[in-house]
Amino acid sequence: MPVEPDSRIVYCRGRFVPIAEAAVPIMDRGFLFADGIYEVTAVLGGRLVDNVPHLERLDRSLGAIGIRNPLSLASWTEIQRELIRRNALDEGAIYIEVTRGVHEREFTCPPDLEPTIVAFTQARALGANPLAETGVAVITLPDLRWKRRDIKSVALLPQVLAKFAAREAGVAEAWMVEDGFVTEGASSTAFIVTEADEIVTRPLSNAVLPGITRRSVMRLAEAHGLRIVERPFSPEEALAAREAFYTSASAFVMPIIRIDDQMIGGGQPGPLARALRRLYLDMAAREAV
Ligand code: PDD
């Protein structure tokens, strides 16, 4: 059994400690300026899913905001594995955060600050998620974010507000819309399936996070002869779609059965979304390390 959340052992600034003893100084730039980067890797059967591309994206995001990656890929993986071991984590996620470090509150700081590292586990049922059987509803709302959404920044206020709006509406996720097109979910990549059975998702750019699950799902789809088209789609096109789903490290492939007030696919998870979820879980079972 996984340990209770409040008895977790976490990694904080170089040490594995009980969560109650983990602390970051108030002058940390992550706290004061959201000056940091994060990653989330799924854990299934005590093993890390798609982890190398997550750590590569962490490295890219840090580089994009000029924070030195304090650890090698091997050292990151060791910390993740040690967290899994110490918390007996079978299923859930590992969260990693790196901030620029601790300094008097000024907008800039010396380039040689020691980055702050924290990492912790979150136990959660991911594979046998009942929502994947029923499908979920989403709402659409304006995308209020900055222009570098390809960076996995901890500055998540627009997403937090979008998630509160989703909760208020009694739905699982919010799809954000800009200039008449869906960008992505508040914490996921958006897909639709057209009447021609094309699986459509927005191409990578500064407008969206390059989802790791997106990448794997696209590869699996192509390997199985499914047609993937990378192009923007509008909320109107999504409302008329045959299927819709979203992907993320914690949801894997999540079928959508309603967008705003419009039922999708007769209110049932679509066959392609179900197939892709199964393919992803099979891949994870084979390749997680
Ligand atoms: N969110 N788009 C956004 C804005 C996201 O925050 C996420 C992930 C994704 C999907 O990316 P990936 O497949 O690499 O998880 C897309 C994570 C899970 C989170 O914030 O908890």
Side-chain angles (χ1 to χ4, degrees), residues 38-40 54 57 145 152 156 159 176 184-189 209-214 247-250:
Y38 76 108
E39 268 301 332
V40 180
H54 279 288
R57 186 174 64 188
R145 296 176 300 161
K152 202 159 172 62
L156 291 170
Q159 286 97 313
M176 299 179 287
E184 59 188 329
S187 65
S188 60
T189 306
L209 185 77
I212 303 305
T213 321
R214 170 193 189 278
T247 63
S248 77
S250 47

Side-chain angles (χ1 to χ4, degrees), residues 11-248:
Y11 182 84
C12 183
R13 307 175 82 213
R15 298 188 305 135
F16 291 93
V17 291
I19 192 166
E21 292 168 28
V24 175
I26 66 164
M27 290 299 179
D28 193 277
R29 292 179 62 89
F31 179 65
L32 295 175
F33 296 112
D35 188 0
I37 298 296
Y38 76 108
E39 268 301 332
V40 180
T41 299
V43 174
L44 277 181
R47 293 182 300 151
L48 295 156
V49 178
D50 253 346
N51 192 44
V52 169
H54 279 288
L55 292 177
E56 288 171 349
R57 186 174 64 188
L58 175 69
D59 190 67
R60 273 203 314 280
S61 291
L62 287 168
I65 65 167
I67 297 180
R68 159 178 74 82
N69 188 343
L71 295 174
S72 65
L73 198 137
S75 303
W76 277 117
T77 312
E78 253 171 60
I79 290 172
Q80 293 171 305
R81 281 199 213 295
E82 188 63 15
L83 284 172
I84 291 173
R85 198 183 67 73
R86 290 193 187 220
N87 293 285
L89 181 68
D90 178 54
E91 196 160 322
I94 302 232
Y95 176 90
I96 285 173
E97 179 169 335
V98 181
T99 79
R100 201 179 302 273
V102 179
H103 185 70
E104 178 57 42
R105 186 188 180 276
E106 291 159 0
F107 282 88
T108 61
C109 62
D112 54 356
L113 284 192
E114 185 62 33
T116 299
I117 305 174
V118 301
F120 54 82
T121 55
Q122 291 185 309
R124 217 180 319 161
L126 300 184
N129 183 346
L131 291 178
E133 300 306 316
T134 57
V136 299
V138 304
I139 52 170
T140 58
L141 41 70
D143 195 331
L144 302 178
R145 296 176 300 161
W146 73 327
K147 293 190 166 61
R148 288 301 307 277
R149 302 160 193 159
D150 54 317
I151 299 171
K152 202 159 172 62
S153 155
V154 294
L156 291 170
L157 188 53
Q159 286 97 313
V160 166
L161 297 179
K163 291 284 193 182
F164 271 115
R167 191 169 80 171
E168 186 76 11
V171 304
E173 176 62 305
W175 275 12
M176 299 179 287
V177 179
E178 181 177 64
D179 298 334
F181 293 99
V182 173
T183 52
E184 59 188 329
S187 65
S188 60
T189 306
F191 291 79
I192 57 170
V193 179
T194 67
E195 286 301 323
D197 269 346
E198 283 171 346
I199 302 166
V200 181
T201 192
R202 195 174 170 117
L204 296 185
S205 71
N206 291 355
V208 292
L209 185 77
I212 303 305
T213 321
R214 170 193 189 278
R215 185 177 104 150
S216 289
V217 163
M218 286 174 65
R219 287 182 180 177
L220 288 168
E222 274 159 13
H224 287 79
L226 303 173
R227 261 182 308 158
I228 291 264
V229 180
E230 289 180 85
R231 64 166 172 82
F233 60 86
S234 65
E236 295 71 30
E237 187 179 8
L239 293 176
R242 179 175 280 180
E243 293 185 36
F245 60 92
Y246 60 79
T247 63
S248 77

